[in-house]
Amino acid sequence: LKPIEWRGDRLVLLDQRILPFETRYIEAKTVEDVAHAIRDMAVRGAPAIGITAAFGMVLALVEKTPSNTQEALKTLARAREILSKTRPTAVNLFWALDRMYNKAVELTSSASSVRELRDGLEKEALKIFEEELDAEIKMGLYGAELLEDGDTVLTICNAGGLATGTGLGTATAPIYIASMLGKRVSVIAPETRPWQQGARLTVYELMQNGIRTTLIADTAVGLVMYRRLVDIVMVGADRILLDGHVFNKIGTLNEAVLAHEFGIPFYVLAPTSTIDTRSRVEDVKIEERSPDEVRTVRTAQGSVYVTLKEVAVYNPVFDVTPPKYVTGIITERGVATHPLSINLRKLLNKT
Amino acid sequence: LKPIEWRGDRLVLLDQRILPFETRYIEAKTVEDVAHAIRDMAVRGAPAIGITAAFGMVLALVEKTPSNTQEALKTLARAREILSKTRPTAVNLFWALDRMYNKAVELTSSASSVRELRDGLEKEALKIFEEELDAEIKMGLYGAELLEDGDTVLTICNAGGLATGTGLGTATAPIYIASMLGKRVSVIAPETRPWQQGARLTVYELMQNGIRTTLIADTAVGLVMYRRLVDIVMVGADRILLDGHVFNKIGTLNEAVLAHEFGIPFYVLAPTSTIDTRSRVEDVKIEERSPDEVRTVRTAQGSVYVTLKEVAVYNPVFDVTPPKYVTGIITERGVATHPLSINLRKLLNKT
């Protein structure tokens, strides 16, 4: 599975809008192509967007070669401008664009040609990709140690290779790595309404990678744990507070509380960059999205209504899981267990 | 809301297949009309099917008048045969058909005319309807005492007037009655995948009855309880064991465990006829239905795929909630609280 592939003069992107109904790739050769792919959500998931945008900056110098490095910087500033307007709330997007532009400024002081500048930027974009993959491999190795031959993992949403762009993912990394190491690991993936990332993306990527996968309705998460069809829960995270509160896709709290009640280990996988060292739980606003996401479902024929158009809807994007229900947090620097507030700090201080 | 209405010579049924997209009524004038409505699920919900079938037996003597009461009994035996084949696992269906046929046999010994027999059967069918409604009113009154002005109730699936045919329902009865008594009560209804009875039926009937209703994805049940947007949980039941284990729609266990953890009262509403005095929890097989129910969604355009056709699916119809998570069981004979195994027995011994 290669959601993002750099081919030297173009970016090949797996079109996630039409998954799992069609597997189609998009070629991006210009900044505008990349902007379009991000804006239209052919690429999704914070790390994947960051990586894609970074290569978009390289393409700025590929699509037409500026006459000198000063002109090249102007071209890159315009590219950053265009790319930054694609998804206004994506933190990884701005982080990647700034890193690429700052690298360009740094290179301009020494680079003798636009070609040299372009090669330097290409290296930087590949480095962003590799750093992401490296973190996922480390999380995957820590997580794989917790998996035994024959285990079944319950997850939620898509914290997979599609979301990160590397093909490995965060919550899925231990599953892929354990599987490569010869352990038979199965996955139960809940549909994850309202966006159905479980049914549309997780199921697709796990099956593509030969992992035995069972789809369930979100209503069935309790029963699969009660009946011991699950050995361990592994989920991603959007934001982790220093006291151990985990913000992740709506439905994570359900799994965490049920796992805690039925004595099943519940692990969160995320790079240390996900740890928010400043906010307290009461500071974090739980974002609500359009009621139509709940009133409709995404199908091969587009979005279709499943209820009355006029029904009132509460559609929170994520929920918050108190530290009490979290067995451990797996990062690229190691696994933090209880007391989370102390052990997360220790991980952050590690180098 | 009148899901089932008897008009003396015909039955008017609210077509539940196309709800909530269209409100359309079906007229059933013959046994075959009734059989068709049950078979094709224009009517659904165990009590509603029983009531409909009972009136189907009356229609057997309406569609053409047999020459004498002995002929009428043969006609009724044929009608019972036809109606019993519509939904092979519906216990209420057989119960209602047997009750109607036995009543006919009893009446034949005294009835001097087919007309008299028909009138007696009509009374019996109306009695079945009224007994159901009476039980729901009693459950509703017990349940309404637990509701305070301004309360929000979380439910699941459709344990409403559509499922019982009376318009009042079981889990919805306290809401309707409290509302009639001047208490402002709101409801949060989860979609209830895979069949979406929450999004398609509960939301529809609550809105028709002027109850403030909010639809959520099944993934959001944890957050609404964690954030105290819910004061009490009220659900129906398919089967209740004497030790207090509750079998109900898949997803009930999630709500029960989350409610228990967050200190929110969790009540089950069902007539005492739902109590299974013989089975132990390990005897009850959890029925699984077609994987395609999870692979598809029901829309105004019919069922549409939302994932890969070849993905493996686990699709249990109901789950089991251990007594530990049940605050009380509300029946037409009163409310059983802990210890449930003792107090359910007491209710059953009451007359």
Side-chain angles (χ1 to χ4, degrees):
Chain A
L1 194 76
K2 289 189 171 172
I4 301 173
E5 197 185 349
W6 175 246
R7 298 229 180 124
D9 62 344
R10 70 213 135 102
L11 201 55
V12 180
L13 301 168
L14 177 57
D15 188 346
Q16 299 194 30
R17 290 167 300 188
I18 51 172
L19 285 181
F21 310 110
E22 279 180 62
T23 301
R24 199 193 290 158
Y25 291 87
I26 293 168
E27 291 215 337
K29 294 182 176 176
T30 66
V31 173
E32 200 35 68
D33 289 348
V34 171
H36 189 263
I38 298 174
R39 198 185 300 120
D40 267 30
M41 297 180 69
V43 185
R44 53 156 280 288
I49 289 171
I51 291 167
T52 304
F55 284 110
M57 293 289 275
V58 183
L59 286 175
L61 302 188
V62 171
E63 62 176 296
K64 58 175 190 269
T65 312
S67 50
N68 57 54
T69 54
Q70 282 312 310
E71 281 304 308
L73 265 192
K74 283 183 199 162
T75 302
L76 289 168
R78 273 195 303 275
R80 174 166 72 163
E81 179 75 8
I82 293 167
L83 291 166
S84 69
K85 284 182 178 157
T86 50
R87 292 287 299 276
T89 56
V91 176
N92 286 54
L93 173 65
F94 307 124
W95 169 84
L97 290 172
D98 287 350
R99 177 162 160 179
M100 290 298 285
Y101 188 77
N102 295 340
K103 186 73 191 176
V105 171
E106 180 200 320
L107 286 168
T108 316
S109 64
S110 63
S112 57
S113 71
V114 173
R115 177 75 216 195
E116 212 175 302
L117 174 60
R118 185 188 125 175
D119 291 348
L121 285 181
E122 185 181 14
K123 254 188 213 156
E124 191 68 10
L126 288 167
K127 208 171 149 197
I128 291 177
F129 185 99
E130 277 154 23
E131 283 171 11
E132 176 63 36
L133 184 57
D134 183 59
E136 292 171 14
I137 290 170
K138 285 180 181 148
M139 284 185 263
L141 287 166
Y142 288 120
E145 283 179 32
L146 301 167
L147 297 176
E148 284 176 33
D149 189 49
D151 271 1
T152 299
V153 181
L154 176 69
T155 185
I156 193 167
C157 191
N158 177 255
L162 287 168
T164 67
T166 62
L168 192 60
T170 54
T172 50
I175 296 157
Y176 293 142
I177 288 178
S179 175
M180 284 176 222
L181 298 173
K183 293 180 188 171
R184 282 160 307 173
V185 177
S186 307
V187 176
I188 293 181
E191 178 181 33
T192 319
R193 282 279 284 150
W195 261 50
Q196 306 145 249
Q197 292 95 335
R200 292 189 303 109
L201 304 174
T202 301
V203 154
Y204 169 87
E205 78 164 79
L206 289 169
M207 286 171 78
Q208 285 278 318
N209 287 311
I211 305 292
R212 225 182 111 201
T213 308
T214 303
L215 176 66
I216 59 170
D218 299 314
T219 45
V221 294
L223 188 66
V224 295
M225 288 195 257
Y226 177 72
R227 297 189 108 184
R228 302 277 147 188
L229 303 177
V230 169
D231 299 291
I232 189 167
V233 184
M234 289 186 164
V235 303
D238 286 284
R239 197 196 293 221
I240 298 169
L241 305 191
L242 261 188
D243 66 4
H245 278 87
V246 174
F247 291 81
N248 191 42
K249 182 65 53 195
I250 188 76
T252 304
L253 174 63
N254 302 0
E255 293 190 3
V257 171
L258 286 155
H260 181 261
E261 185 65 26
F262 297 140
I264 295 168
F266 179 91
Y267 284 93
V268 176
L269 290 103
T272 47
S273 59
T274 310
I275 299 169
D276 173 349
T277 55
R278 268 169 292 187
S279 305
R280 288 165 312 166
V281 67
E282 56 272 26
D283 298 335
V284 183
K285 197 180 169 305
I286 292 193
E287 186 192 339
E288 292 174 38
R289 278 206 295 230
S290 162
D292 268 344
E293 286 186 6
V294 177
R295 292 183 195 129
T296 64
V297 288
R298 298 163 76 82
T299 75
Q301 285 86 51
S303 286
V304 187
Y305 277 90
V306 290
T307 186
L308 297 166
K309 287 185 190 177
E310 62 271 26
V311 66
V313 166
Y314 174 54
N315 182 24
V317 181
F318 50 81
D319 59 25
V320 53
T321 298
K324 174 182 174 188
Y325 308 111
V326 178
T327 309
I329 295 171
I330 301 175
T331 74
E332 79 283 9
R333 297 194 190 173
V335 184
T337 52
H338 285 268
L340 290 172
S341 56
I342 290 167
N343 290 324
L344 280 175
R345 246 172 255 271
K346 277 192 191 157
L347 281 188
L348 285 183
N349 294 333
K350 238 177 161 178
T351 36
Chain B
L1 192 77
K2 290 189 170 172
I4 302 173
E5 196 184 349
W6 175 246
R7 297 228 178 125
D9 62 344
R10 71 215 133 101
L11 201 54
V12 180
L13 301 168
L14 177 57
D15 189 345
Q16 299 194 30
R17 291 166 301 188
I18 51 173
L19 286 180
F21 311 109
E22 279 181 61
T23 301
R24 199 193 289 158
Y25 291 87
I26 293 168
E27 292 216 336
K29 294 182 174 175
T30 65
V31 173
E32 201 34 69
D33 288 350
V34 171
H36 189 262
I38 298 174
R39 199 185 300 120
D40 269 29
M41 298 181 68
V43 186
R44 52 156 281 288
I49 289 171
I51 292 167
T52 303
F55 283 111
M57 293 290 274
V58 183
L59 287 174
L61 302 186
V62 170
E63 62 177 297
K64 59 176 187 268
T65 312
S67 51
N68 57 53
T69 55
Q70 283 312 311
E71 280 305 309
L73 267 191
K74 283 183 200 162
T75 303
L76 289 167
R78 274 196 301 275
R80 175 167 71 163
E81 179 74 10
I82 292 167
L83 291 167
S84 69
K85 285 182 178 156
T86 50
R87 292 286 299 275
T89 56
V91 176
N92 286 53
L93 172 65
F94 307 124
W95 170 84
L97 290 171
D98 287 349
R99 176 163 161 180
M100 291 298 285
Y101 189 77
N102 295 341
K103 186 73 190 177
V105 171
E106 181 200 320
L107 287 168
T108 316
S109 65
S110 65
S112 56
S113 71
V114 173
R115 177 75 215 194
E116 213 174 302
L117 174 60
R118 184 188 126 176
D119 291 349
L121 285 181
E122 185 181 16
K123 253 188 212 155
E124 192 68 11
L126 288 168
K127 209 171 148 196
I128 291 176
F129 185 99
E130 276 153 22
E131 283 172 11
E132 175 62 37
L133 184 57
D134 183 59
E136 292 170 15
I137 291 170
K138 285 178 180 147
M139 284 185 263
L141 286 166
Y142 288 120
E145 282 179 32
L146 301 168
L147 296 176
E148 285 176 31
D149 190 48
D151 271 0
T152 298
V153 180
L154 175 69
T155 187
I156 194 168
C157 190
N158 177 255
L162 287 168
T164 66
T166 62
L168 191 59
T170 53
T172 51
I175 296 157
Y176 293 142
I177 288 177
S179 175
M180 283 177 222
L181 298 174
K183 294 179 189 172
R184 282 160 306 173
V185 177
S186 306
V187 176
I188 292 181
E191 178 181 35
T192 319
R193 282 279 284 151
W195 263 51
Q196 306 147 249
Q197 292 95 335
R200 292 189 303 109
L201 304 174
T202 301
V203 154
Y204 170 87
E205 78 163 79
L206 290 169
M207 287 172 77
Q208 285 279 319
N209 286 311
I211 305 292
R212 224 182 112 201
T213 308
T214 302
L215 176 66
I216 58 170
D218 299 315
T219 45
V221 295
L223 188 67
V224 296
M225 288 195 257
Y226 177 74
R227 297 190 107 184
R228 302 278 147 185
L229 303 177
V230 169
D231 300 291
I232 189 167
V233 184
M234 289 186 165
V235 303
D238 287 285
R239 197 196 293 221
I240 298 169
L241 305 191
L242 261 188
D243 66 3
H245 278 88
V246 174
F247 291 82
N248 190 43
K249 183 64 54 197
I250 188 75
T252 304
L253 175 62
N254 302 359
E255 293 190 4
V257 170
L258 286 155
H260 182 261
E261 184 65 27
F262 297 139
I264 295 169
F266 179 91
Y267 283 94
V268 176
L269 290 103
T272 47
S273 58
T274 311
I275 300 169
D276 174 350
T277 56
R278 268 168 293 187
S279 305
R280 290 165 311 167
V281 67
E282 55 272 27
D283 299 334
V284 183
K285 198 181 169 306
I286 292 193
E287 186 192 338
E288 291 174 38
R289 279 205 296 230
S290 163
D292 268 343
E293 285 186 6
V294 176
R295 292 183 196 128
T296 64
V297 288
R298 300 163 75 82
T299 74
Q301 284 86 53
S303 286
V304 187
Y305 276 89
V306 291
T307 186
L308 296 167
K309 286 184 189 176
E310 62 272 25
V311 67
V313 166
Y314 174 55
N315 182 24
V317 181
F318 51 79
D319 59 26
V320 53
T321 298
K324 173 182 175 187
Y325 308 111
V326 177
T327 309
I329 295 171
I330 302 175
T331 74
E332 79 283 9
R333 297 193 189 173
V335 185
T337 53
H338 285 268
L340 290 172
S341 55
I342 290 167
N343 290 323
L344 279 174
R345 246 173 254 273
K346 277 192 190 156
L347 281 188
L348 284 183
N349 294 333
K350 238 177 160 179
T351 37

